[in-house]
Amino acid sequence: MSTDDRNEGHRHDDETVVIGAGLEHLEESVRAQLRREAETVRPHDRLDAILAEAHGSDVSAPEADAGPTEGRHRWLLPVAAAALVAAAAVGVWGANRPSQAPIPAATQPTSASESPTSGTQSTVTESASSSPTSSVDVGPGPVATQTETVPVYYVGPRRDGSSSLVLFREFGTAQVAAPGDASAKASAALERAISSSPAGAGYRPLWQGVEVKKVAVTDAEIDVALSTGAKGLNASDGRIAVEQLVWTAQAAVGKGNLPVRFSLSDGGTTLAGGETSDHTYTRPSDDMAVWAILSPIWIDSPSRGESLPAGKVTVTGVASTNEANVQWSVMQGGKPVASGHTTAEVAAPQRGKYTFTTTALPAGDYTVKVFETSMKDGSVSAAATMPFTLK
C-alpha cells in the first residue's frame, strides 16, 4: 500500500488544451478594425519629415495633410492591436494550462537526540545537531538557559535487593546554557546524572560531592573535566560509575562511539574505584558486555511523575529478557490493580522495544512495574518501576 500523498497510481491524464480557444470573435473584430484603418491611410513622401524629426525639427506640413482621424502616431494603432491579441491569447492559455506541483527540494537528513523508544538490538540511535567543536565552562554567575529534554543514565540494582548495579536510562528536563550546543547539552545531562537521584527512585548516587567543571566536544572525543574523583567505591562500583558518565555524555551528544576522556581539576588521576583518567572510555559493542552494564528493563513512557488523563495507559520501553518475555503490574498504594504480559521485539542479549496498554484506571497515583521472572524458580530477575498520576 502506497503512502505517497501524491497518489501517482490514480492520477488521470490531463485534458488537451487548445491555446487561444474562444478568441475567434475577438480576432475577427480586430481584423475588421485594422482593415478600416488601413483604408484611410494616404501614402506621401515622408523622407524629409523623418530626417527632420531625427534632427529635432518640427515638420508639420505632411501631418496637416492627414484627415481628422489620422494623428501623428497613427502607425501605432496596428501594433497596439496586435499586442492586444497576443496578450489575450497568453492570458487564456495561462488560465487554462494544467497545474503542476512544484518540485520539492532535496530533503536533508535531520538529527535528533536519543529517542525515548530507541535501543533495538543493543543499539541506541543517538545524534545531535551542533557545531563539531565546542566547549562549555560551568561556573558561578547568572547564565541565560533554556529547558531541554536530555537522556540521563542512573545507577541502580538489577532488581530489588540485588547487589548487582546496572544503568537505567530516563529522560528528564535540564537547563541548558547554550541551546543547540552539544557541549552544553552534555554538561547539563552529566550534572543531572551525578546529582541526587530523582524523587522516589531507588538509584544509587555514586558521585556525591563531585562537580562537572567543563565539557568540550570535538570530532575526536568528548572531554569531561570533573572537580575530583568519586570516593569510597570498590572496583565493581567504580566501573559502573564511570560507565554512567560515559553513556550519559555520549547519549547527550548523540554519538555512542565517540570516546570520552576525563580529567580532574584537583590534579588527581583516580576517577572511581580502580578507574583512572589516563585513557579514554567508550561503550562496548558486544551484546553480552552491554547486557552486563544496562538494566534488562527500561521504562520510557510514562515518564517519572507524569500526569495523564484517567483511563487506559500505554507503557513503552526497552527490554533484554529471556525469550523476549515482559511482565507488568500497575500498583496503587502498594497493591496491584492491573497486570499482564507482553513480548519485546527481540530476546536477550539483544535489546528491543516493547509496548502494552493497561485496563482503564480511575484518577489517582500509580506505579507501573515492568519485570522479568526467572525460568528456574519464577522469582523476579530484573525490574524497573515508574510512578505516574492520573487525573
Side-chain angles (χ1 to χ4, degrees):
M1 176 179 178
S2 173
T3 58
D4 191 340
D5 291 336
R6 294 173 298 178
N7 201 14
E8 300 257 353
H10 296 82
R11 181 177 178 181
H12 297 287
D13 292 334
D14 294 323
E15 296 182 0
T16 302
V17 177
V18 179
I19 299 176
L23 297 177
E24 293 85 353
H25 296 295
L26 176 60
E27 181 181 359
E28 290 299 327
S29 176
V30 172
R31 288 179 181 276
Q33 179 64 25
L34 289 175
R35 284 195 297 270
R36 287 193 295 271
E37 293 293 336
E39 291 173 355
T40 63
V41 177
R42 299 294 184 268
H44 55 268
D45 186 5
R46 287 276 297 161
L47 179 58
D48 293 337
I50 293 174
L51 292 176
E53 287 181 354
H55 289 82
S57 301
D58 185 13
V59 180
S60 58
E63 293 294 331
D65 293 338
T69 59
E70 297 175 13
R72 180 173 180 179
H73 298 292
R74 187 63 176 265
W75 57 274
L76 290 175
L77 182 59
V79 176
L84 176 61
V85 174
V90 170
V92 173
W93 175 79
N96 291 280
R97 67 186 297 266
S99 60
Q100 181 179 353
I103 300 174
T107 302
Q108 298 297 328
T110 57
S111 56
S113 299
E114 183 171 342
S115 169
T117 56
S118 62
T120 302
Q121 299 183 3
S122 299
T123 62
V124 179
T125 303
E126 299 164 345
S127 57
S129 54
S130 60
S131 57
T133 303
S134 58
S135 64
V136 171
D137 287 292
V138 181
V143 179
T145 62
Q146 177 175 306
T147 302
E148 290 192 25
T149 299
V150 294
V152 180
Y153 286 80
Y154 296 101
V155 178
R158 187 178 294 268
R159 56 175 175 79
D160 292 341
S162 173
S163 60
S164 174
L165 299 181
V166 289
L167 299 182
F168 294 79
R169 184 193 63 186
E170 290 193 22
F171 290 87
T173 57
Q175 297 299 312
V176 179
D181 181 83
S183 297
K185 193 169 184 177
S187 178
L190 287 169
E191 288 176 358
R192 191 178 177 95
I194 67 175
S195 63
S196 58
S197 300
Y203 300 138
R204 307 279 180 86
L206 301 181
W207 295 92
Q208 292 179 318
V210 179
E211 298 178 354
V212 179
K213 289 296 186 180
K214 183 178 181 180
V215 177
V217 178
T218 69
D219 289 334
E221 63 185 24
I222 305 171
D223 294 312
V224 179
L226 303 175
S227 59
T228 186
K231 308 299 182 183
L233 301 183
N234 58 32
S236 177
D237 289 353
R239 282 194 296 272
I240 198 66
V242 173
E243 292 287 357
Q244 177 190 13
L245 301 192
V246 171
W247 282 74
T248 297
Q250 291 176 331
V253 172
K255 296 181 179 180
N257 60 349
L258 193 60
V260 180
R261 182 178 298 277
F262 294 95
S263 62
L264 303 178
S265 299
D266 63 2
T269 58
T270 302
L271 293 175
E275 304 301 317
T276 60
S277 60
D278 58 356
H279 62 280
T280 61
Y281 294 83
T282 191
R283 304 180 182 187
S285 57
D286 179 72
D287 287 340
M288 286 303 300
V290 171
W291 183 89
I293 295 172
L294 304 182
S295 168
I297 304 288
W298 286 348
I299 299 175
D300 289 328
S301 177
S303 59
R304 184 168 300 278
E306 184 176 1
S307 180
L308 301 168
K312 296 181 178 181
V313 178
T314 298
V315 180
T316 63
V318 179
S320 178
T321 59
N322 184 45
E323 296 183 353
N325 292 321
V326 175
Q327 300 185 60
W328 59 271
S329 175
V330 176
M331 297 169 289
Q332 187 176 39
K335 298 180 179 181
V337 295
S339 61
H341 61 86
T342 187
T343 55
E345 293 178 340
V346 294
Q350 297 179 324
R351 304 180 67 80
K353 302 174 186 177
Y354 70 83
T355 183
F356 62 86
T357 301
T358 70
T359 55
L361 300 171
D365 295 328
Y366 298 89
T367 297
V368 59
K369 179 179 181 179
V370 183
F371 57 97
E372 176 191 22
T373 56
S374 169
M375 295 189 67
K376 179 180 179 181
D377 56 13
S379 62
V380 174
S381 56
T385 60
M386 193 66 66
F388 63 94
T389 300
L390 299 182
K391 294 184 177 180

